[in-house]
């Protein structure tokens, strides 16, 4: 494990698909609508998302693997394996084997799992034998740390006499508080499923199944079992995924137990969403990442079991988020304390937490809500979160990261461990970088979906895809410069399904910022999309935000979507105290911001957006992959001395929110003053 990982992972083979091997009798997804898997879609290099996947492949994933070496992650597994091979060895009583001294967190194992997951998604798109062999070598190290009954948790196995301080003296003893044993399981299972889907190898899958089987034996409501639920959720959605992949009902049953018993075990608090049973919960509260993962797991169980109480609960919770606790950037988690959701309409900007992992959890939730209900409003929210709340967490080059993602930065408010507000090369608690490492390459799996003989086009990005519609192959090619421009071309390359519905999402941002009264446009007319088939207007019909076109599609048919990309001004609901007297600027799915680096001669917090703003969209060749910047007319409040101020006209430059802080620490603001009485508030 002493190789130079970054050098080794360079030089991937050309872009092509891997043929998957069958695995048993896989169950149906349970959802009325079926996700088209990442294995079926190839994102085009050089496009907006192609560049992000490239950055993950060339920078983020190699960096994460190198950190697994330098930060003792692999060593943890090696030490656990040594203890299994030499039980009771003399080193267990020495300082060198005091787990709390070298293991930062009890969930450090998940950095390895998440990095393998991201690399597996990349392998599907960019097959590389050297990378595959490297992952296999890591899996040898991981597998050697697995106890005979399947338990795999190095924080305890390294030194059972003196485990990590968060682990407790016995298995599951403090699972609901700090041990993260089930959290580790969740990330392991997710990674193993992705690795199997991408490579056809069941090497990792078998390791994960053995740990899952151990959990099923030991954690449950029966005599002799530990009746606990996850302190940090994610195992619920991972076990549901394992059920779908393998068809083994026991995994779904365990996922449902972990949800059913929440609020019924020893722990009762809002922080961990354990104050009441999940079916009685109606709003998002507590730690935002834990919550988002749990809500996604609830949607999975609702779909797979048909439990109507789960569906009602997750509908109410999702509505609460979208209508009262959702930032314009698609982020969630207003409070630093507890990394938590705030109260209704509590959406501060400077002190917003908006953890990157929480944004990723919202993508999981919104996508599942779409699969349940078929309503494009959930994809609208997912898209907003993707283009703003998620990718803001990673620099364009893939090598620096944000943990929180505030909507304002004054250059002195400190939200990083080094007392700065600049992007970091890594974190001691590395959940966000490693989560981005696994999430960004999975983007292709969110683009399309299928229901019976209907194919949903949900997201717009250059790609080619082979999709099963009615059991028959349909090949599509999508060409677009989205989100910079609104023209999208979808070409039918092959169609063995003959007649079927093509359901093309007309983005909700054409009419409203989000599908609630939390935000509204205050300028311009609602955008009207144009959809053409072979150059002619279509007679399609609108259903739940989709233009549905029914026809017998032929090879060479071309669907053209034209989306007006006007710059729009947004106001928040007056109940959002932090945004009163302020406005935000958006274009298409992108939220824009003002950054101090573009206005070195002024204090950006003294800017005032014109009451009748005129916008100019210009091409940009700056180094952070921003192809469109916006200029707006406004004013700045200058101090002239003697206690006097004056307003002067000022040309305001705005860049996409995700691109801020690529020029070092500095000031930034999303919500600009338009009412002078709001200055300084």
């Amino acid at each position: 494990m002493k190789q130079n990982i970054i050098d080794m992972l360079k030089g991937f083979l050309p872009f092509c698909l891997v043929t998957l091997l069958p695995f048993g009798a896989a169950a149906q997804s349970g959802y009325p609508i079926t996700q088209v898997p990442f294995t079926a879609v190839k994102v085009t290099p050089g496009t907006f998302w192609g560049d992000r996947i490239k950055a993950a492949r060339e920078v983020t994933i190699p960096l994460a693997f190198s950190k697994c070496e330098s930060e003792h992650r692999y060593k943890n597994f090696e030490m656990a394996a040594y203890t299994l091979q030499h039980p009771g060895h003399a080193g267990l009583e020495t300082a060198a084997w005091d787990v709390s001294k070298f293991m930062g967190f009890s969930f450090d194992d998940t950095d390895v799992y998440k990095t393998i997951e991201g690399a597996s998604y990349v392998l599907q798109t960019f097959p590389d034998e050297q990378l595959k062999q490297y992952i296999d070598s890591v899996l040898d190290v991981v597998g050697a740390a697995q106890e005979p009954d399947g338990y795999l948790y190095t924080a305890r196995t390294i030194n059972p006499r003196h485990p990590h301080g968060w682990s407790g003296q016995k298995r599951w003893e403090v699972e609901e508080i700090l041990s993260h044993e089930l959290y580790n399981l969740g990330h392991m299972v997710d990674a193993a499923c992705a690795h199997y889907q991408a490579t056809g190898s069941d090497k990792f899958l078998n390791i994960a199944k053995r740990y899952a089987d151990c959990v099923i034996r030991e954690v449950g409501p029966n005599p002799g079992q530990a009746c606990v639920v996850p302190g940090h959720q994610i195992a619920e959605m991972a076990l549901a995924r394992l059920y779908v992949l393998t068809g083994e009902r026991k995994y779904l049953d365990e996922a449902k137990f972990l949800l059913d018993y929440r609020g019924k075990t020893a722990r009762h608090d809002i922080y961990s969403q354990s104050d009441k049973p999940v079916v009685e919960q109606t709003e998002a509260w507590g730690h935002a990442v834990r919550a988002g993962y749990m809500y996604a797991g609830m949607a999975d169980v609702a779909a797979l079991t048909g439990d109507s109480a789960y569906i009602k609960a997750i509908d109410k919770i999702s509505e609460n988020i979208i209508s009262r606790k959702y930032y314009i950037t698609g982020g969630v988690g207003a409070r630093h304390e507890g990394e938590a959701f705030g109260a209704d309409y509590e959406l501060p900007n400077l002190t917003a937490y908006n953890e990157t992992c929480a944004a990723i959890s919202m993508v999981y939730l919104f996508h599942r809500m779409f699969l349940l209900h078929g309503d494009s409003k959930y994809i609208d929210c997912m898209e907003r979160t993707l283009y703003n709340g998620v990718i803001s967490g990673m620099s364009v080059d893939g090598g620096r990261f944000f943990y929180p993602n505030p909507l304002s930065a004054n250059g002195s408010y400190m939200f990083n461990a080094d007392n700065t507000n600049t992007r970091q090369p890594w974190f001691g608690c590395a959940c966000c970088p490693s989560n981005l490492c696994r999430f960004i390459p999975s983007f292709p799996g969110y683009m399309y979906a299928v229901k019976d003989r209907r194919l949903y086009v949900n997201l717009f990005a250059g790609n080619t895809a082979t999709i099963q519609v009615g059991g028959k192959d349909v090949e599509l090619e999508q060409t677009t410069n989205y989100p910079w421009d609104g023209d999208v071309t979808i070409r039918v390359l092959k169609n063995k399904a003959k007649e079927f519905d093509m359901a093309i999402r007309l983005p909700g941002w054409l009419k409203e910022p989000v599908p609630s009264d939390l935000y509204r446009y205050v300028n311009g007319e609602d955008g009207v999309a144009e959809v053409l088939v072979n150059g002619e207007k279509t007679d399609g019909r609108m259903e739940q935000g989709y233009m549905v076109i029914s026809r017998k599609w032929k090879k060479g048919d071309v669907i053209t979507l034209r989306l007006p990309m006007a710059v729009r001004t947004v106001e928040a609901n007056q109940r959002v105290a932090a945004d009163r007297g302020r406005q935000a600027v958006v274009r298409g799915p992108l939220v824009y911001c003002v950054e101090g680096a573009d206005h070195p001669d002024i204090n950006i917090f003294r800017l005032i957006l014109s009451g009748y703003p005129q916008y100019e969209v210009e091409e940009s060749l700056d180094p952070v992959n921003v192809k469109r910047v916006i200029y707006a007319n406004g004013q700045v409040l200058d101090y002239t001395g003697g206690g006097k101020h004056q307003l002067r006209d000022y040309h305001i430059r705005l860049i996409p929110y995700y691109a801020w802080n690529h020029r070092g620490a500095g000031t930034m603001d999303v919500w600009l003053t338009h009412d002078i009485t709001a200055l300084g508030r």
Side-chain angles (χ1 to χ4, degrees), residues 31 45 72 107 145 152 178 275 299-300 343 393 402 424 428 458 486 495 523 527 563 594-595 616 622 642 655 663:
Y31 285 96
H72 210 275
F107 49 82
L152 211 174
L178 289 171
D275 56 314
D300 284 336
F402 275 151
Q424 300 293 294
N458 282 330
N495 176 26
N523 74 316
L563 303 170
V594 171
E595 188 171 19
E616 300 172 14
D622 67 28
I655 64 170
R663 294 168 285 186

Side-chain angles (χ1 to χ4, degrees), residues 95 100 325 340 419 546 584 606 639:
S100 293
K325 299 186 178 183
N419 294 338
Y546 289 88
R606 291 178 172 268
Y639 179 66

Side-chain angles (χ1 to χ4, degrees), residues 224-530:
Q225 291 184 304
C227 190
V228 297
V229 297
H232 193 310
Q233 300 92 316
I234 199 175
E236 304 88 340
M237 55 191 287
L239 287 168
R241 181 177 183 179
L242 187 58
Y243 160 67
V244 170
L245 182 66
T246 66
E248 296 184 51
R249 177 78 187 197
K250 60 184 178 180
Y251 301 123
L252 177 60
D253 292 342
E254 187 70 10
K256 193 168 189 301
F257 158 75
L258 296 178
L259 289 166
D260 283 347
Y261 273 73
R262 198 158 210 92
K264 303 176 183 177
T265 62
R267 186 168 187 182
H268 300 274
D269 60 52
I270 287 175
Y271 172 82
S272 65
Q273 298 78 40
S274 297
D275 56 314
K276 62 182 71 173
V278 296
V279 295
E280 297 176 16
Q281 297 185 29
T282 59
E283 66 175 311
W285 202 258
H287 190 277
V289 182
R290 297 169 195 241
Y293 288 163
M294 187 182 85
Y295 303 150
M298 288 173 65
D300 284 336
V301 168
L304 293 165
T305 66
D307 191 316
S308 61
Y310 270 75
I311 295 174
K312 289 177 182 177
I314 198 61
D315 283 350
K316 290 178 181 178
I317 291 168
S318 298
E319 180 61 26
N320 175 252
I321 293 171
I322 296 168
S323 64
R324 301 185 180 191
K325 299 186 178 183
Y326 191 52
Y327 279 91
I328 189 65
T329 56
V332 295
R335 298 177 180 177
H336 275 241
E337 182 181 0
E339 301 178 333
F341 284 100
D344 288 351
Y345 305 106
E346 182 187 341
L347 296 167
N349 296 307
L350 181 66
T351 60
Y353 201 69
N354 283 352
E355 185 179 337
T356 300
C357 289
I360 290 172
S361 78
M362 288 299 102
V363 173
Y364 296 149
L365 172 61
F366 293 141
H367 190 245
R368 284 161 168 80
M369 295 305 294
F370 159 74
L371 297 176
L372 268 177
H373 297 302
D375 195 319
S376 68
K377 72 178 185 180
Y378 297 112
I379 301 297
D380 293 335
C381 291
M382 184 181 81
E383 180 184 60
R384 178 165 297 279
T385 300
L386 277 169
Y387 279 95
N388 303 285
V390 170
I391 63 173
S392 62
M394 183 175 84
S395 62
V396 168
D397 65 7
R400 297 181 74 84
F401 309 92
F402 275 151
Y403 198 115
N405 294 271
L407 278 73
S408 183
N410 62 12
S412 62
Y413 184 80
M414 298 170 286
F415 57 80
N416 280 326
D418 67 347
N419 294 338
T420 71
N421 62 348
T422 192
R423 296 179 184 273
Q424 300 293 294
W426 206 251
F427 298 99
C429 175
C431 58
C432 292
S434 56
N435 222 358
L436 286 162
C437 172
R438 78 181 183 122
F439 180 79
I440 297 295
S442 75
F443 169 80
Y446 296 95
M447 294 198 63
Y448 300 100
V450 173
K451 180 180 181 182
D452 301 324
R453 299 191 66 79
R454 174 170 294 184
L455 191 162
Y456 290 89
V457 180
N458 282 330
L459 298 176
F460 309 117
N463 73 92
T464 56
T466 301
I467 301 166
Q468 290 274 304
V469 180
K472 304 291 185 180
D473 280 352
V474 175
E475 292 185 13
L476 301 179
E477 179 185 51
Q478 191 179 143
T479 306
T480 183
N481 196 30
Y482 193 86
W484 308 118
D485 298 314
D487 291 343
V488 181
T489 299
I490 302 168
R491 185 180 301 274
V492 179
L493 302 181
K494 183 173 74 174
N495 176 26
K496 293 187 176 181
K498 306 304 179 185
E499 185 172 355
F500 64 90
D501 293 346
M502 186 92 74
I504 301 169
R505 182 176 66 95
L506 302 189
W509 53 254
L510 290 167
K511 298 184 181 299
E512 57 187 0
V514 300
S516 73
D517 67 355
L518 190 55
Y519 304 104
R520 69 183 185 94
Y521 291 138
V522 294
N523 74 316
E525 297 179 356
D526 290 345
V528 178
E530 186 177 24

Side-chain angles (χ1 to χ4, degrees), residues 20 38-39 113-114 116-124 187-201 204-205 241 245 438 442:
L20 295 183
F38 73 94
T39 53
Y113 305 148
K114 286 183 278 187
I116 291 175
E117 183 177 354
S120 297
Y121 293 128
V122 163
L123 270 179
Q124 170 59 31
H187 276 300
M188 181 196 298
V189 167
D190 262 342
C193 289
H195 181 258
Y196 171 78
Q197 286 179 273
T199 67
S201 168
F204 196 7
L205 190 64
R241 181 177 183 179
L245 182 66
R438 78 181 183 122
S442 75

Side-chain angles (χ1 to χ4, degrees), residues 1 4 35 46 68 107 156-157 188 209 256 284 325 429 439 479 498 503 545-546 561 586 592 594 619:
M1 307 300 292
N4 187 323
Q35 176 183 11
C68 287
F107 49 82
R156 179 183 313 286
T157 305
M188 181 196 298
K209 286 181 64 181
K256 193 168 189 301
K325 299 186 178 183
C429 175
F439 180 79
T479 306
K498 306 304 179 185
Y546 289 88
L561 176 63
V586 301
Y592 278 69
V594 171
E619 291 193 15

Side-chain angles (χ1 to χ4, degrees), residues 125-201:
T125 304
F126 300 92
D128 180 85
E129 190 59 33
Q130 195 172 23
L131 175 60
K132 185 178 178 181
Q133 290 176 5
Y134 177 74
I135 293 173
D136 280 348
S137 72
V138 173
L139 293 177
D140 287 338
V141 174
V142 170
Q146 189 162 36
E147 299 189 17
D149 64 355
Y151 186 76
L152 211 174
Y153 177 70
T154 66
R156 179 183 313 286
T157 305
I158 288 171
N159 193 339
R161 299 176 187 174
H162 306 287
H164 188 278
W166 286 10
S167 298
Q169 292 303 306
K170 295 186 294 185
R171 292 181 184 182
W172 326 117
E173 184 177 61
V174 290
E175 165 55 36
E176 296 188 340
I177 308 299
L178 289 171
S179 77
H180 291 77
E181 288 155 284
L182 295 176
Y183 176 77
N184 283 18
L185 168 73
H187 276 300
M188 181 196 298
V189 167
D190 262 342
C193 289
H195 181 258
Y196 171 78
Q197 286 179 273
T199 67
S201 168

Side-chain angles (χ1 to χ4, degrees), residues 624-655:
V624 294
N625 194 28
V626 173
K627 295 186 178 181
R628 300 287 186 275
V629 296
I630 297 172
Y631 288 91
N633 59 315
Q635 295 175 304
V636 62
L637 183 67
D638 289 326
Y639 179 66
T640 59
K644 296 182 179 181
H645 295 79
Q646 69 177 15
L647 289 171
R648 63 181 168 94
D649 291 341
Y650 197 87
H651 212 37
I652 302 171
R653 187 178 194 264
L654 300 105
I655 64 170

